[in-house]
Amino acid sequence: MPPHQHAWPADRWNTRPVAAHVLAVARTLTSATRVLDVLTLLRRDGIERYFTINPGSAFADGLDDYLRDLPGITVLDWEDAVRRRFDLAVACAVHASMHRLDARLVVLPHGAGYNRLVTESTGDTVSSAGLSRNELTYHGRVFVDVLGLSHPEQLDRLRISCPEALDVAQVVGDPCFDRMLRSRRSRDGYRAALGAVDGRRLVVVNSTWSGHSLFGRHPDLPQRLVRQLPADEYTVAVVLHPNIWNRHDPEALLDDARRMGLRLIPPHQGWQAALVAADCLIGDHGSVSVYGAALERPTLLVATGAAELDPHSPSYAFGQTAPALDPDGDLLAQLEQALHQDPAGLRPITDRSLAHRGESAQVLRPLLYSFLDGLDEPRDEPVLPPYPKPVPRPGATDRPTAYDVEGKSEGTEVSLRRYPFDPDDHTPRGFHALTDEHPDDALRYTAEVLARTETHAERPATRWLADTAAELPGLAVAVAALGPARHLLRLHTGLLLEARAEPDWDRPDPTLDPLLLGSAVASWLADGGDPTCLPGHGLTIRTGDHHTRVSFSTGPQGLPGGP
């Protein structure tokens, strides 16, 4: 092996002096994103940051491209990295080959502690990955300078699996979880980014990797959720482990569900914010479920992963204790029951995974700076920044273009439940309502409601409504959007009405989905409502606990439907 290059010749070209060189080491996307959490504790001025990929993982495809897109970080080839000397190296996954690094090495977990049995890494069937002698030693010597633990419980298992490493073990908490705690003030923004507005509850479905996971056992569960949950009362987001993205194509596998409104969270950013935003969690034995329960979100499991977890780990106990979801049962009823349960019931178990809650920054930053001889730790209070807003995969935020609608009326109040239409699910439900863009011609001719959602359309609203009535004489209601809260309707009688959502003084400016409006009017008419009463009395449209008051007026003199 070539001699180490102790000097950094490139530093002579820097405008600002460089006092320390820090190397982040990744084996997978999961470990890379966790290292980035830790790097937020280091100030940027005076520290040169580098990333390298420790080779050998089966899940490293695409990792190099991801790292090279990170701002302010230089990516080094592994062989280049081991030829250089660094003041500090940080990794959130350990491998014996890391002994080659010329740096003080700090290793942290890349999940909620150390829980999984991975024989390919540990070399045995009893040690948790990250705590094994096979990973932490080279030629019998522990090469890690600090082995960070998220909870003292892990010391007991380390004492059995690799007692030589006890001298370097230190309980530091979990910076990823603490960033989620810091992000709670951003909950409203996260919820809006995921469509959890106007009274909708956010259900986050998460899956770890392997055949024992939720997605391995029930890959159709996300689609069945968006089909069975009322679209105006629930929104569903899916978080899949990066290893699933590495080996499969979730965008294609979940394409139908995404067109029905499913939000698919990318693997490198967003799942933490989604947990903060969530009202309920459906998952398995992965760390995301543990984090969600630790945030006191009602959590239901469809897979426990008992076959691949250390039976002495908190994650194993979590899988055996957390409430179960029957994926073949009534999903809506099970979720509504879970939402009324006390989510703190799992706190005794999650407490065994996460120590120093909210304090990892105070523990970790002094530790990291102790290795940076040329820099003093900043005087300010160490904090972890909140996570950015989640950005679902493009196309996932579009609303469904067709619904099955159930409705009932009492006076001038209409209660609706809309379910995204699934051509493969023939469960009879009320009537069909769809947008003009929906591609199914057959459904178009059997629908009760049709809406044009584009406000800046080529044909004027009155012309489009007349043409649509001529083309589809069986329609009960046609709607042309004129703005976010203003629409023009044509009833089957030919009556034209303008509808406006009325403002409420303690709520934001209202919006009104034209397809929801048309469905409410159609349902009200079907229950015997007199259309001539609408201009005087209006309607209240209720979806779950959310309601919108709508007023109606007739067209101006001379227009069809006018006085």
Side-chain angles (χ1 to χ4, degrees):
M1 184 174 67
H4 290 90
Q5 300 174 0
H6 299 323
W8 291 83
D11 285 353
R12 67 188 294 264
W13 305 112
N14 292 330
T15 301
R16 298 284 297 169
V18 174
H21 299 86
V22 175
L23 178 68
V25 185
R27 284 181 58 81
T28 63
L29 180 60
T30 307
S31 62
T33 57
R34 297 301 290 268
V35 173
L36 289 172
D37 286 332
V38 180
L39 293 186
T40 63
L41 293 171
L42 299 176
R43 70 187 188 195
R44 291 194 173 271
D45 192 26
I47 298 178
E48 196 80 13
R49 300 157 182 251
Y50 298 84
F51 239 115
T52 191
I53 300 173
N54 177 241
S57 172
F59 300 103
D61 289 349
L63 180 56
D64 186 71
D65 292 337
Y66 168 72
L67 296 179
R68 292 189 186 278
D69 286 339
L70 296 175
I73 291 178
T74 301
V75 180
L76 299 175
D77 178 82
W78 173 252
E79 292 302 324
D80 189 12
V82 299
R83 286 194 294 267
R84 299 174 182 261
R85 173 175 291 174
F86 297 88
D87 298 277
L88 171 66
V90 182
C92 290
V94 67
H95 188 272
S97 60
M98 292 183 189
H99 81 276
R100 298 178 61 194
L101 293 170
D102 188 2
R104 305 295 294 275
L105 177 60
V106 174
V107 172
L108 301 167
H110 61 268
Y114 303 91
N115 305 288
R116 193 183 287 264
L117 300 176
V118 185
T119 304
E120 294 84 353
S121 300
T122 63
D124 62 53
T125 60
V126 295
S127 300
S128 292
L131 299 182
S132 72
R133 179 178 285 109
N134 190 57
E135 297 165 294
L136 296 172
T137 66
Y138 180 72
H139 286 176
R141 180 184 67 85
V142 175
F143 60 87
V144 174
D145 293 278
V146 175
L147 175 63
L149 309 178
S150 64
H151 192 279
E153 170 275 331
Q154 293 148 29
L155 286 167
D156 296 331
R157 290 186 284 135
L158 182 64
R159 187 171 288 110
I160 296 172
S161 60
C162 186
E164 306 95 308
L166 286 172
D167 290 341
V168 300
Q170 183 171 339
V171 179
V172 299
D174 189 311
C176 176
F177 181 71
D178 285 355
R179 282 192 76 180
M180 286 186 260
L181 293 179
R182 287 280 299 175
S183 300
R184 288 177 295 184
R185 292 181 182 177
S186 302
R187 173 176 163 88
D188 287 339
Y190 297 161
R191 290 175 62 80
L194 294 172
V197 295
D198 296 334
R200 291 179 178 86
R201 295 170 176 173
L202 175 61
V203 178
V204 175
V205 182
N206 84 91
S207 177
T208 189
W209 60 284
S210 88
H212 298 286
S213 68
L214 178 151
F215 201 62
R217 296 177 59 186
H218 303 286
D220 62 335
L221 180 59
Q223 181 164 333
R224 286 192 286 117
L225 278 166
V226 294
R227 174 60 175 153
Q228 292 188 32
L229 302 183
D232 299 298
E233 299 172 45
Y234 290 89
T235 184
V236 182
V238 169
V239 170
L240 300 177
H241 194 283
N243 289 0
I244 296 177
W245 287 82
N246 188 268
R247 308 292 288 185
H248 306 285
D249 185 356
E251 292 189 67
L253 293 172
L254 295 171
D255 182 62
D256 288 343
R258 293 169 68 219
R259 285 188 281 107
M260 288 193 286
L262 180 75
R263 269 74 174 175
L264 178 61
I265 306 298
H268 59 279
Q269 177 193 318
W271 66 266
Q272 303 96 330
L275 289 190
V276 174
D279 293 292
C280 185
L281 196 71
I282 297 174
D284 53 25
H285 54 290
S287 293
V288 175
S289 297
V290 176
Y291 287 136
L295 289 170
E296 297 196 347
R297 306 293 182 256
T299 302
L300 301 171
L301 302 187
V302 298
T304 65
E308 58 186 18
L309 293 177
D310 181 346
H312 303 290
S313 68
S315 286
Y316 181 91
F318 180 83
Q320 302 303 306
T321 307
L325 175 85
D326 177 5
D328 298 317
D330 186 329
L331 300 177
L332 176 60
Q334 292 179 81
L335 281 175
E336 291 185 338
Q337 181 180 3
L339 286 165
H340 288 92
Q341 295 176 351
D342 182 5
L346 293 172
R347 180 72 186 253
I349 295 178
T350 61
D351 276 349
R352 290 180 56 211
S353 294
L354 304 165
H356 297 311
R357 291 193 184 201
E359 300 174 356
S360 64
Q362 288 83 354
V363 177
L364 272 173
R365 194 176 76 173
L367 172 65
L368 299 177
Y369 272 93
S370 70
F371 298 122
L372 307 180
D373 295 333
L375 283 173
D376 294 327
E377 183 184 1
R379 294 178 180 272
D380 61 337
E381 183 74 12
V383 295
L384 290 156
Y387 284 107
K389 288 183 181 180
V391 181
R393 281 300 201 204
T397 56
D398 295 337
R399 292 180 178 178
T401 57
Y403 294 92
D404 287 323
V405 183
E406 297 175 340
K408 63 178 180 179
S409 305
E410 290 187 15
T412 59
E413 181 172 292
V414 183
S415 297
L416 290 180
R417 276 191 159 174
R418 298 191 297 169
Y419 302 87
F421 175 75
D422 184 348
D424 297 323
D425 183 351
H426 301 291
T427 303
R429 276 196 178 112
F431 58 88
H432 294 144
L434 59 149
T435 69
D436 197 34
E437 297 87 4
H438 189 74
D440 188 338
D441 287 338
L443 190 64
R444 182 183 180 92
Y445 284 94
T446 61
E448 293 283 323
V449 179
L450 187 73
R452 187 178 73 176
T453 59
E454 178 54 61
T455 56
H456 299 285
E458 182 177 8
R459 277 184 290 175
T462 52
R463 176 64 60 83
W464 180 85
L465 289 169
D467 292 346
T468 299
E471 178 196 0
L472 304 170
L475 280 179
V477 181
V479 187
L482 298 177
R486 174 174 167 257
H487 310 298
L488 198 63
L489 299 88
R490 182 182 176 114
L491 309 188
H492 69 278
T493 60
L495 178 64
L496 282 179
L497 296 171
E498 182 188 68
R500 293 177 183 264
E502 297 180 0
D504 191 327
W505 72 276
D506 69 341
R507 293 166 56 189
D509 289 342
T511 59
L512 182 58
D513 177 352
L515 204 53
L516 178 68
L517 169 67
S519 299
V521 172
S523 180
W524 185 76
L525 293 174
D527 287 340
D530 181 356
T532 62
C533 294
L534 289 174
H537 298 91
L539 288 179
T540 297
I541 303 174
R542 183 172 295 279
T543 54
D545 294 331
H546 182 77
H547 70 275
T548 302
R549 181 67 187 169
V550 182
S551 60
F552 296 85
S553 60
T554 54
Q557 190 76 26
L559 276 182

